[in-house]
Amino acid sequence: MSQPSKKLFLLDAMALIYRAHFAFSKNPRINSKGLNTGAVMGFTNVLIDIIKNQKPTHLGVAFDTHAPTFRHEEYPEYKANREAQPEEIRLAIPYCKKIMAGFGIPLLELDGFEADDIIGTLAKHAAKIDFEVYMMTPDKDYAQLVEEHIFLYKPAYMGNAVETLGIPEVLKKFDIDEVDQVRDVLGLKGDAVDNIPGVPGVGDKTASKLLKEYGTVENVVANADKLKGALQKKVMEFGEQGIFSKKLATIMTEVPIEFDEDALSVTDPSKTLLTPLFEELEFRTITKRVFAENEKKETSGDGQMGLFGAGEGADSETSSGKNTIKDVPYDYVLVDTAEKRRSVITALSNCPSFCFDTETTSLQTVEAELVGLAISMKAGTAYYIPFPEDQNETRTIIHEFKDVLEDSTIRKIGQNLKYDIQVLRNYDVHVSGPLFDTMLAHYLIDPETAHSMDRMAENYLNYTPISIETLIGPKGKKQKSIREADLAAVCVYACEDADITLQLKEQLEPQIIELNLEKLLHEVEEPLSFVLSDMEYQGVSIDTETLFGMSGELEEASNEAQKSIYELAGVEFNIGSPKQLGEVLFDKLQLVDKPKKTKSGQYATGEDILSKLAEEHEIADKILEYREYNKLKSTYVDALPKLVSQKDQRVHTDYRQTVAATGRLSSNNPNLQNIPIRTEKGRAIRKAFVPQSKEFIMLAADYSQVELRIMAAFSGDDSMQQAFKQGRDIHANTASKVFKVDLTSVDSTMRRKAKEVNFGIIYGISAFGLSQNLNISRAEASEIIKAYFEEFPSVKSYMDETIEKARANEYVETILGRRRYLRNINSRNFTMRGFDERNAINAPIQGSAADIIKVAMIDIHNWMKEERLQSKMIMQVHDELVFEAHQDELALLSDEVSKRMQNAISLEVPLLVEVGTGHNWLEAH
């Protein structure tokens, strides 16, 4: 598993506002109008400190509402002993919400639920989709939510430092064996603040002792007869109250609230919204912190940088601490006549390099029409060539620049050049020559941060570019096209883009050289832009009739599965409702004696639970079928036809080079990397990917076990290397050694376990993880891993040496020098450190696999162009390349693709490529 690329902070508003209020209670902050601003000031400082120091990519603040919650309905006395809300806090809350709006932070609240339920729900969801989550609150109850990627972040208070609690810290703090036992602690001891009764006389130490022996409150109550003295009497008398208290203290993680990733994204503060608000509250120092100005309008300045400091990001409307177009000299020229264009073209012809950027009507390259072209040859100077709406005239004008754009001796500089290359190709202009792509360069320098031009301009140039919204308005239905914007304004906007990109190139190039990334950038990533551009332009044909047929079949199969479920259950119910499903499976049918429950107290009905039940209970198997049919239908079968371009009736995915920190490509609209493969009906979707005509056939070439081969090469393990060199089954080979049997005696169960270990080792699998994957005991899993390392000691040595090297350097490298930074490899936090240790093992292997297939793609693409083949490379999915092969070229293409993939990069073990053909992708694969 890779390191999460996004960082989400979720703040418990009321807990923080109350804490701020009481922090200022002895020395209240009263403004000239008599308003007590202490709680608002404290809350605002918290927001600023989090954004500035913790640098979250996403941020949300949850509030309680005045409506009664489900806990009040079950227990009217819940929180009944709390004092009335202080007047100062009642007045502070609206101001806090306005300040959140000024920072662009979404307000998270929902009647019937508390802030901790909302935070718990969002945290659990986010942790599953590549987020590291921090729940900021002084409330200890949140500790029950902590897991591998979810932390409790307790703010500093009254001399106490900030405290971040991961799994080890929670276990130590509560003196328990599992995080889930936090709920049992709360159930046993109760909570006076929330008026949760618990079991009288039971405190932290007693609760810990009982749970170490019996595990849960329920088990403590069930074994009350084994207790002694007063404790036995208390548990017998109040045990059920303890169980009920645990239920009250359990944070619900299935609140019906949407996880809106875009809304949670950290944005720059709005000067328009916050300045008058800060003036009303008389927050002069805070205003300076957020909007430090170059012009010292006040003589008593506090000397602080702006909120984002030098190089940490804000836009021109919110941070005059950064330069904008108003602060720098520039010479931007509108090139609106044939004579002016000839002058620019002459200059370009004599220039060794230039930067260019296209302005278009759409982000979809197949649909995009040229609106303008901006060109910069030196910093501070740029030219803008506008194009008319008439596309024939546009083609004529852009063809005036065809020679310089296609000149192979002139270097082209740009930001995300793959897009511009494709747009120009629509007009029969084929960009060529060496490139310098600032987005790709920054991706190699710092793969896990933002690579947008605006963010890089702020970080490297202390400059905030013009926002596109200033030209066309905010996003929404009323946003106008760039064609409708003022031409003079568009000219400045576009020229600035080209100018700033050129300046960024000058900043990034020395770093590329210093980090020895020139070869990777100029021989792999940038040439790959041309390959991907051609692949995206080509697209792939989709047999919509096949998909329409599959949609009907899936709906029919879903209905049949639903009918079977109702018959097996003996009752009709909402299968999509976890609550109703759990009640049917575990209350009515009683499939297991002690069913697992979620934090909210509902029965757990996830795929892992149902998969285990499916081995013995038909209804669980049918529920899994039902879920699969519905997901396949909605996510793929019904969605793919909507992505077919009206221009050529093909689907054109968007390959993205700068998303995955490992170096792997990702794709979007559609996401080809996620096309299902594990089930028969999932694989059937590949039937719909077909060649363009009967003259062509689909050809798929797939690396076999490439990551294991890389591990064998990197570790130097002789046994693994010999197995690959001799063409033996690597999983059977591993099973033979781990289980100490002859190769001929390895059965399917042994091989399956060995396969899990082989691939699991690459990802730093633990005994617990292996036990879950194989449904075996942790002890057995531990023994298998131990035996593996005894038989493959070079692998263990390689892993240990890699981690030690990573600790020294705080990064690891792939075979071509691609870096993965591991900033927490030396952290005292066990969870964060362990995370980076696993990445230290996995990143060089997964990244090298990415390097290998990219090199192969470039080589194959260049060869196909030189040979002027009619065949086309149309898809890249994980370790697989897919081609539309012309029937006359099939034999040649098959041989050359296999040979070039196998020889892309030399390893100590051979790379094996499996090639298949067929009338659709499924047959070929």
Side-chain angles (χ1 to χ4, degrees), residues 324-382:
T324 68
I325 194 74
K326 299 174 184 177
D327 305 308
V328 297
Y330 62 88
D331 182 16
Y332 296 161
V333 180
L334 179 64
V335 182
D336 55 356
T337 68
E339 185 179 354
K340 290 179 182 178
R341 291 196 296 270
R342 282 195 295 272
S343 177
V344 171
I345 292 167
T346 300
L348 290 174
S349 301
N350 296 310
C351 194
S353 67
F354 63 85
C355 180
F356 78 96
D357 181 49
T358 59
E359 298 301 331
T360 66
T361 57
S362 173
L363 293 176
Q364 305 298 319
T365 54
V366 176
E367 318 294 334
E369 295 181 357
L370 268 176
V371 174
L373 178 70
I375 292 171
S376 179
M377 289 173 270
K378 69 175 183 177
T381 302

Side-chain angles (χ1 to χ4, degrees), residues 224-264:
D225 58 315
K226 298 177 183 176
L227 304 177
K228 296 179 181 179
L231 180 60
Q232 182 189 66
K233 184 178 179 181
K234 292 286 187 183
V235 172
M236 285 184 167
E237 184 176 355
F238 298 102
E240 290 302 320
Q241 182 173 286
I243 294 172
F244 181 68
S245 295
K246 174 182 175 180
K247 184 178 180 182
L248 286 177
T250 295
I251 295 174
M252 177 180 278
T253 58
E254 295 181 4
V255 173
I257 188 170
E258 180 186 3
F259 183 88
D260 190 340
E261 184 171 336
D262 289 339
L264 290 165

Side-chain angles (χ1 to χ4, degrees), residues 179-192:
V179 169
D180 196 50
Q181 290 178 315
V182 170
R183 299 185 302 128
D184 297 280
V185 171
L186 299 173
L188 285 169
K189 62 178 285 196
D191 189 335

Side-chain angles (χ1 to χ4, degrees), residues 632-651:
L632 291 176
K633 185 176 186 299
S634 61
T635 306
Y636 303 105
V637 174
D638 291 346
L640 277 170
K642 297 174 184 176
L643 298 175
V644 173
S645 170
Q646 296 305 305
K647 282 192 172 183
D648 59 6
Q649 305 305 308
R650 289 167 76 86
V651 167

Side-chain angles (χ1 to χ4, degrees), residues 24-308:
F24 286 111
S25 59
K26 291 184 179 181
N27 185 24
R29 301 298 177 98
I30 312 295
N31 71 2
S32 60
K33 301 179 183 68
L35 178 68
N36 187 329
T37 62
V40 186
M41 179 179 288
F43 179 77
T44 306
N45 278 323
V46 164
L47 294 183
I48 294 171
D49 288 342
I50 288 296
I51 295 171
K52 180 177 175 62
N53 299 321
Q54 297 303 317
K55 297 179 175 59
T57 58
H58 296 73
L59 179 62
V61 180
F63 277 77
D64 300 319
T65 69
H66 294 295
T69 68
F70 64 93
R71 295 183 182 87
H72 291 97
E73 293 172 4
E74 291 190 8
Y75 184 55
E77 294 81 13
Y78 179 67
K79 294 189 176 180
N81 59 358
R82 284 200 172 184
E83 295 180 4
Q85 190 176 83
E87 178 70 10
E88 294 89 344
I89 288 180
R90 186 182 68 79
L91 295 173
I93 291 172
Y95 281 106
C96 291
K97 291 182 177 180
K98 288 179 183 178
I99 284 168
M100 286 169 52
F103 279 95
I105 300 169
L107 169 65
L108 309 170
E109 60 180 14
L110 187 64
D111 284 345
F113 301 92
E114 296 179 74
D116 53 2
D117 301 313
I118 292 170
I119 288 174
T121 298
L122 297 179
K124 292 291 184 181
H125 179 84
K128 295 176 183 176
I129 55 170
D130 203 30
F131 280 84
E132 196 94 306
V133 185
Y134 293 82
M135 306 173 294
M136 185 173 187
T137 177
D139 188 349
K140 64 183 181 305
D141 294 10
Y142 282 76
Q144 65 187 268
L145 300 169
V146 169
E147 57 182 52
E148 186 175 12
H149 299 307
I150 301 178
F151 300 86
L152 174 55
Y153 186 91
K154 298 183 75 173
Y157 185 65
M158 305 296 282
N160 293 324
V162 169
E163 190 177 7
T164 303
L165 277 66
I167 295 171
E169 291 80 11
V170 169
L171 300 183
K172 182 178 179 181
K173 191 175 190 70
F174 287 85
D175 193 20
I176 51 179
D177 297 321
E178 296 180 6
V179 169
D180 196 50
Q181 290 178 315
V182 170
R183 299 185 302 128
D184 297 280
V185 171
L186 299 173
L188 285 169
K189 62 178 285 196
D191 189 335
V193 175
D194 290 344
N195 201 33
I196 296 176
V199 176
V202 174
D204 288 318
K205 290 185 178 180
T206 304
S208 172
K209 182 179 177 183
L210 289 171
L211 294 174
K212 283 184 182 296
E213 188 165 356
Y214 299 106
T216 65
V217 176
E218 292 82 356
N219 284 346
V220 171
V221 174
N223 290 279
D225 58 315
K226 298 177 183 176
L227 304 177
K228 296 179 181 179
L231 180 60
Q232 182 189 66
K233 184 178 179 181
K234 292 286 187 183
V235 172
M236 285 184 167
E237 184 176 355
F238 298 102
E240 290 302 320
Q241 182 173 286
I243 294 172
F244 181 68
S245 295
K246 174 182 175 180
K247 184 178 180 182
L248 286 177
T250 295
I251 295 174
M252 177 180 278
T253 58
E254 295 181 4
V255 173
I257 188 170
E258 180 186 3
F259 183 88
D260 190 340
E261 184 171 336
D262 289 339
L264 290 165
S265 295
V266 172
T267 59
D268 300 321
S270 167
K271 197 168 189 178
T272 304
L273 294 176
L274 290 177
T275 299
L277 189 57
F278 288 163
E279 286 176 358
E280 178 184 351
L281 294 165
E282 299 176 6
F283 288 175
R284 296 180 183 86
T285 302
I286 286 178
T287 302
K288 292 176 185 176
R289 287 188 70 191
V290 180
F291 306 119
E293 299 189 8
N294 289 339
E295 300 81 21
K296 295 186 178 180
K297 296 180 180 178
E298 297 177 26
T299 57
S300 58
D302 56 14
Q304 297 185 58
M305 297 291 289
L307 166 61
F308 294 94

Side-chain angles (χ1 to χ4, degrees), residues 738 767 778-788 790:
V738 168
R778 198 179 302 187
E780 182 183 353
S782 182
E783 284 300 314
I784 291 174
I785 291 175
K786 181 181 177 183
Y788 179 93
E790 286 175 353

